[in-house]
Amino acid sequence: MAAYILRRLLLMIPTIFGIMAISFAIVQFAPGGPVERIIAQLQGHDAGATARFTTVNDGAMATAGADANSAYRGAQGLDPEFIAELEKQFGFDRPVHERFARMIYNYARFDFGESYYRDVAVIDLIAEKLPVSITLGLWTTLLTYMISIPLGIAKARRDGTAFDVWTSGVIIVGYAIPGFLFAVALIVFFAGGSYFDWFPLRGLVSEDWESLGVWDRIVDYLWHIFLPVLAMTIGGFATTSLLTKNAFLDEIKKQYVMTARAKGLSEARVLYGHVFRNAMLIVIAGFPGAFIGAFFTGSLLIETIFSLDGLGLLSYESIINRDYPVVFASLYIFGLVGLVVTLISDLTYVWIDPRIDFEAREAG
C-alpha cells in the first residue's frame, strides 16, 4: 500500500502541472486583463475593481494627444511609459514562458503573491474566506448523509411500495431544481420576502456576536446558516439517497443474505449486521469527495444570494476582475485538494473493505 500511495502522490505532480499549464494558456487568449481594467478605469468606463495603483506617476496617467500605439484596447491617448509601468507592476513585461515558470516555482513553495486589487497576500485572503466555505461544506455534507442514508435504507426495504414512489418523486424534484432556486424561494418565504421574516439575509453571525454569551453565539450562528445550508442540502441529498437504495437492493439479493435469513436471524439483524457494511462501502467512501464538492463547487451562488463572503464568491469576483493571482492560487489549491481527496477516497475503500487491493489491480 505504501508503494501505491507513493505512486499516486508522484502522479499528482504532472497532473497539477497540466491543470495549471492549460489554465494559464487559456487566460492568455481571454479578452481583457488587469492592464485593460486599469485603462478602462482611467477612461471612466469601469469601476468594478478597486485598483491599488493610485501611487503610479499621476503625471503619466494621461498625456493629451499622445498615442500609445499599444495592443491594449482603450490605450490611445495614454503615455506609453505609463502603460509600460503598468505592465511591469503586473509582471507582464516578461515573456509568457518566464511568467509561467516563475508562477509554478512560487506555487510549489506555496507562495501565491498578492492580489492585484486588494493589496493583501493571496494566502491571507483565502484563509480569511475559508471559514465560510468550510461551514457550508461541512454542514451540507453531514446533513445530506444524515438524510440520505436512512431514506435510502427505508426505500430499499419498501421497494415498490407507495412510500418508495412518493419519496422518489421528492428526490426527483430535489435533483432537478438547482439549489439556488431553493435559496430564492426560502428567502421569499422565510427571510423578509413576501411572507415571513424569520431568518437573516447576510453573514454568518450578527454584528453584536462578540458581546453574546456562549449559548447565544451558538444559536445566532445556527440561525444565520440555517437557510443557506438547507438550500444546498435540498439539492444534494437526491444522488446519495438513490445510491444508498440501489446499494442495499444489490446486497439484499445476494446469497449470504438468503443464508442469514434461512438461519432464522431477524430482519433487523440481517439488514444492519450483514448488509449494512457491504452496502455502505461506496456511500461512505464517497464522503470526502462529497464534502469537497459542496465545499468548492456548491456554494458559489448560495454565497452570493445570502451575502456570505466565502471562497466561492471570492473566486467569482476574482475572475470577473481579472485578479489573476487569486484565480490561479484558487485553482491550484482546489486542484491539489481534489487530487488528495481522490486518494483519500480510495484509501477509505480499503479501510472499509480490506478485500480491495489497488496494488494488485494496477499490477493486473
Side-chain angles (χ1 to χ4, degrees), residues 107 112 114-118 120-122 125-126 314-315 317-319 323-332:
Y107 281 17
F112 302 113
E114 290 190 355
S115 166
Y116 284 160
Y117 304 110
R118 301 172 187 257
V120 63
V122 173
L125 193 59
I126 292 176
L314 172 66
S315 300
E317 291 178 345
S318 300
I319 293 172
D323 196 350
Y324 292 151
V326 179
V327 172
F328 286 122
S330 301
L331 181 64
Y332 180 82

Side-chain angles (χ1 to χ4, degrees), residues 68-88:
N69 291 324
S70 173
Y72 296 113
R73 184 176 58 184
Q76 290 76 15
L78 295 179
D79 189 345
E81 293 183 2
F82 172 67
I83 301 298
E85 182 67 19
L86 280 179
E87 290 181 332
K88 183 177 181 180

Side-chain angles (χ1 to χ4, degrees), residues 226-238:
F226 182 81
L227 290 186
V229 169
L230 179 61
M232 293 179 65
T233 302
I234 290 175
F237 79 98

Side-chain angles (χ1 to χ4, degrees), residues 193-274:
S194 303
Y195 297 92
F196 306 102
D197 190 9
W198 292 348
F199 296 94
L201 270 177
R202 62 178 61 247
L204 283 181
V205 293
S206 300
E207 294 181 358
D208 61 343
W209 189 78
E210 293 291 342
S211 63
L212 299 177
V214 175
W215 174 249
D216 290 333
R217 288 186 179 187
I218 295 175
V219 172
D220 182 77
Y221 166 74
L222 295 176
W223 181 50
H224 278 76
I225 69 169
F226 182 81
L227 290 186
V229 169
L230 179 61
M232 293 179 65
T233 302
I234 290 175
F237 79 98
T239 303
T240 309
S241 297
L242 293 178
L243 185 64
T244 303
K245 175 192 173 182
N246 293 333
F248 267 79
L249 286 178
D250 289 341
E251 291 297 323
I252 288 173
K253 297 175 183 178
K254 290 184 177 179
Q255 185 64 42
Y256 75 90
V257 176
M258 299 178 184
T259 302
R261 286 172 173 167
K263 291 181 178 180
L265 297 179
S266 65
E267 189 65 20
R269 179 72 181 276
V270 171
L271 187 63
Y272 295 102
H274 293 76

Side-chain angles (χ1 to χ4, degrees), residues 73-336:
R73 184 176 58 184
Q76 290 76 15
L78 295 179
D79 189 345
E81 293 183 2
F82 172 67
I83 301 298
E85 182 67 19
L86 280 179
E87 290 181 332
K88 183 177 181 180
Q89 293 192 48
F90 283 116
F92 295 156
D93 57 327
R94 300 185 180 93
V96 173
H97 66 277
E98 184 179 333
R99 284 189 278 127
F100 178 73
R102 187 181 185 88
M103 182 184 72
I104 293 298
Y105 173 73
N106 289 334
Y107 281 17
R109 299 180 295 121
F110 289 91
D111 178 9
F112 302 113
E114 290 190 355
S115 166
Y116 284 160
Y117 304 110
R118 301 172 187 257
D119 199 19
V120 63
V122 173
I123 193 66
D124 294 337
L125 193 59
I126 292 176
E128 178 186 342
K129 312 298 182 183
L130 202 56
V132 174
S133 296
I134 288 180
T135 290
L136 291 177
L138 186 59
W139 280 111
T140 299
T141 306
L142 289 176
L143 287 178
T144 297
Y145 271 71
M146 289 173 63
I147 295 172
S148 300
I149 292 176
L151 179 60
I153 295 175
K155 286 175 64 61
R157 296 183 64 180
R158 299 171 177 82
D159 184 41
T161 64
F163 172 82
D164 183 39
V165 172
W166 74 261
T167 52
S168 295
V170 173
I171 288 174
I172 291 173
V173 171
Y175 183 79
I177 300 179
F180 73 89
L181 289 183
F182 281 117
V184 173
L186 291 173
I187 289 175
V188 170
F189 282 97
F190 302 111
S194 303
Y195 297 92
F196 306 102
D197 190 9
W198 292 348
F199 296 94
L201 270 177
R202 62 178 61 247
L204 283 181
V205 293
S206 300
E207 294 181 358
D208 61 343
W209 189 78
E210 293 291 342
S211 63
L212 299 177
V214 175
W215 174 249
D216 290 333
R217 288 186 179 187
I218 295 175
V219 172
D220 182 77
Y221 166 74
L222 295 176
W223 181 50
H224 278 76
I225 69 169
F226 182 81
L227 290 186
V229 169
L230 179 61
M232 293 179 65
T233 302
I234 290 175
F237 79 98
T239 303
T240 309
S241 297
L242 293 178
L243 185 64
T244 303
K245 175 192 173 182
N246 293 333
F248 267 79
L249 286 178
D250 289 341
E251 291 297 323
I252 288 173
K253 297 175 183 178
K254 290 184 177 179
Q255 185 64 42
Y256 75 90
V257 176
M258 299 178 184
T259 302
R261 286 172 173 167
K263 291 181 178 180
L265 297 179
S266 65
E267 189 65 20
R269 179 72 181 276
V270 171
L271 187 63
Y272 295 102
H274 293 76
V275 175
F276 186 84
R277 178 176 178 177
N278 294 328
M280 291 306 296
L281 172 63
I282 189 171
V283 178
I284 296 177
F287 182 89
F291 169 66
I292 294 300
F295 180 43
F296 286 137
T297 62
S299 61
L300 169 57
L301 292 174
I302 300 300
E303 289 179 9
T304 303
I305 292 172
F306 288 98
S307 299
L308 300 174
D309 196 8
L311 286 178
L313 185 59
L314 172 66
S315 300
Y316 172 74
E317 291 178 345
S318 300
I319 293 172
I320 295 299
N321 291 331
R322 302 297 193 269
D323 196 350
Y324 292 151
V326 179
V327 172
F328 286 122
S330 301
L331 181 64
Y332 180 82
I333 293 174
F334 292 175
L336 197 59

